[in-house]
Amino acid sequence: MENKLQELKSKIEGAESIIIFSHVSPDGDTLGSNLALNIILDKYFNKKADSVFVGKLPNMYSYLPNYEKFIDVAEIDKSKKYDLAIAVDVAAKDRLVFGTEIFDNAVYRVNIDHHKTNIGYGDLNIIDAESACVGAILYKIFKEWKLKVPLDAARCIYTSLMTDTGGFKYENTTPETFMLAAELVKTGVSPTKEYRACYETKPQSMVQFQAYVVSNTVFYNNGKIAFSKITRSDMSKFNAEDDYTEGIVEVLRTSKDVEIAAILKETKEGYTKVSLRSKTKDLTSIATDFGGGGHSFAAGCTIKKPVAIAYDKLLARVQSELE
Ligand code: AMP
Ligand code: MN
Ligand code: MN
């Protein structure tokens, strides 16, 4: 690990152009990590890195410091050759979608992640599946480099930690999680403010949309399975943005007997994005069967089928898991 961190440091110092990638359908970890790293590169290495997103940037994380600096990867010239590309929280290279080419083109590629399904697609791979979030990995790296993490970066890392642990309650919540949270709070982060900014600023239509999706839930196998699907027409009925689906699958899992919950969302014609959550079963084999990945109790995939067909296929696979 030490050698890897030395290697990363020397690559940063030697780079004139740096790009930091977040994964498609970005969440709090990939965005918070991206901005935290950018802040540290600027403050301690005097490097102005491009923080990029792929697809749509959700509004719910707009409270993060420097959020307005995020660049749409589609706006970057495909032939541009960066000295250094760093992917944070990107489980598989295809989660960079049309950013993949720019990532591949870079002189040196770094993959910093905590998904156990990550195969190590970078020239340098810093993967710690024991870490609750990538923000926690970065914090360790900054500490190793003896850098004092300023409040704005601490806020970003706090969002990584808060969102990926589901507000300090998922299985990835460990003593280290609370120790890191304590350090961040000591730095000046307010748990109440960050929580409010992240989770209690929903548009009214989002609250109604989420209730609608939850009310469409169908239970199978004596309540062990909960599925709900979202079509594009549901989305347009509520004027729903991409991030309106955030957190719904966790609500399905709150039912007493549920072991596996899934939300299937039609993203474009013939494409279904799946979010899987579990209380008991390791989901990674289900997700990888459909070309996705993730963690034991939170995984996902995109099935290249219309939502009704994807639904039946996934349900059969989930039912076989519970047999
Ligand atoms: P989500 O349901 O989108 O919040 O994703 C749950 C977990 O699964 C996250 O850790 C994602 O990074 C991971 N995941 C979701 N979709 C994919 C995919 N297509 N490939 C690999 N990992 C995924
Ligand atoms: Mn993520
Ligand atoms: Mn993560």
Side-chain angles (χ1 to χ4, degrees):
M1 195 55 149
E2 230 168 77
N3 286 346
K4 286 190 177 188
L5 298 194
Q6 194 49 51
E7 175 81 1
L8 176 60
K9 195 175 196 184
S10 75
K11 291 295 175 188
I12 292 170
E13 285 165 349
E16 276 182 19
S17 55
I18 304 176
I19 184 165
I20 312 171
F21 285 93
S22 287
H23 63 71
V24 68
S25 308
D27 55 25
D29 187 24
T30 199
L31 296 174
S33 301
N34 194 323
L35 293 173
L37 180 58
N38 195 318
I39 290 166
I40 295 293
L41 292 183
D42 187 10
K43 188 174 169 80
Y44 292 108
F45 296 86
N46 199 23
K47 305 282 176 183
K48 308 273 178 247
D50 288 341
S51 280
V52 298
F53 66 93
V54 182
K56 268 196 169 166
L57 196 58
N59 198 43
M60 69 175 283
Y61 302 105
S62 58
Y63 65 91
L64 288 172
N66 293 348
Y67 203 68
E68 67 289 350
K69 291 191 183 162
F70 266 116
I71 304 166
D72 186 343
V73 78
E75 281 168 20
I76 294 174
D77 184 352
K78 278 230 168 39
S79 63
K80 177 153 183 187
K81 201 171 178 64
Y82 283 89
D83 292 331
L84 180 61
I86 307 174
V88 286
D89 195 43
V90 180
K93 209 165 70 173
D94 64 5
R95 303 214 80 209
L96 296 172
V97 199
F98 30 86
T100 313
E101 209 176 317
I102 297 172
F103 182 82
D104 279 339
N105 263 339
V107 178
Y108 193 78
R109 294 159 292 249
V110 181
N111 164 21
I112 307 179
D113 192 29
H114 68 133
H115 293 90
K116 64 176 179 180
T117 53
N118 195 310
I119 59 159
Y121 53 80
D123 299 310
L124 177 68
N125 301 288
I126 299 175
I127 300 165
D128 179 7
E130 301 298 308
S131 262
C133 60
V134 171
I137 301 177
L138 290 178
Y139 192 84
K140 260 196 213 160
I141 297 176
F142 302 152
K143 260 189 108 165
E144 188 66 31
W145 289 343
K146 312 257 186 296
L147 306 177
K148 189 176 174 304
V149 175
L151 179 57
D152 48 359
R155 287 188 55 210
C156 295
I157 291 171
Y158 189 87
T159 279
S160 287
L161 193 60
M162 174 178 71
T163 56
D164 259 22
T165 58
F168 307 99
K169 61 186 178 302
Y170 295 159
E171 288 76 10
N172 57 356
T173 308
T174 62
E176 285 70 39
T177 308
F178 289 109
M179 266 152 12
L180 172 55
E183 284 195 43
L184 298 170
V185 173
K186 266 195 229 161
T187 306
V189 176
S190 157
T192 315
K193 265 196 204 155
E194 304 304 328
Y195 175 81
R196 287 255 159 92
C198 188
Y199 295 114
E200 294 187 342
T201 53
K202 291 179 188 174
Q204 290 167 7
S205 60
M206 182 170 174
V207 176
Q208 289 170 326
F209 171 80
Q210 295 196 333
Y212 170 79
V213 176
V214 173
S215 75
N216 288 337
T217 305
V218 182
F219 295 96
Y220 302 92
N221 294 46
N222 298 319
K224 287 184 185 161
I225 299 172
F227 268 44
S228 187
K229 59 174 180 289
I230 302 165
T231 62
R232 280 184 302 164
S233 91
D234 295 326
M235 298 287 287
S236 58
K237 219 186 301 176
F238 287 86
N239 257 326
E241 302 284 339
D242 265 353
D243 63 344
Y244 274 35
T245 51
E246 190 74 27
I248 305 178
V249 67
E250 279 87 14
V251 179
L252 268 53
R253 185 171 53 181
T254 58
S255 175
K256 180 167 178 282
D257 296 320
V258 163
E259 292 188 31
I260 298 180
I263 292 283
L264 295 98
K265 174 164 107 176
E266 179 183 41
T267 47
K268 56 182 178 181
E269 175 105 47
Y271 283 79
T272 304
K273 187 189 176 306
V274 176
S275 282
L276 284 158
R277 296 294 183 274
S278 156
K279 280 184 196 137
T280 52
K281 298 278 185 268
D282 188 332
L283 297 169
T284 49
S285 82
I286 301 177
T288 50
D289 279 358
F290 290 97
H295 309 285
S296 300
F297 300 117
C301 56
T302 294
I303 303 176
K304 290 190 190 81
K305 294 265 183 262
V307 68
I309 296 171
Y311 189 102
D312 291 342
K313 280 185 185 290
L314 183 72
L315 181 58
R317 179 65 186 83
V318 167
Q319 285 177 321
S320 78
E321 196 70 23
L322 289 178
E323 267 158 19

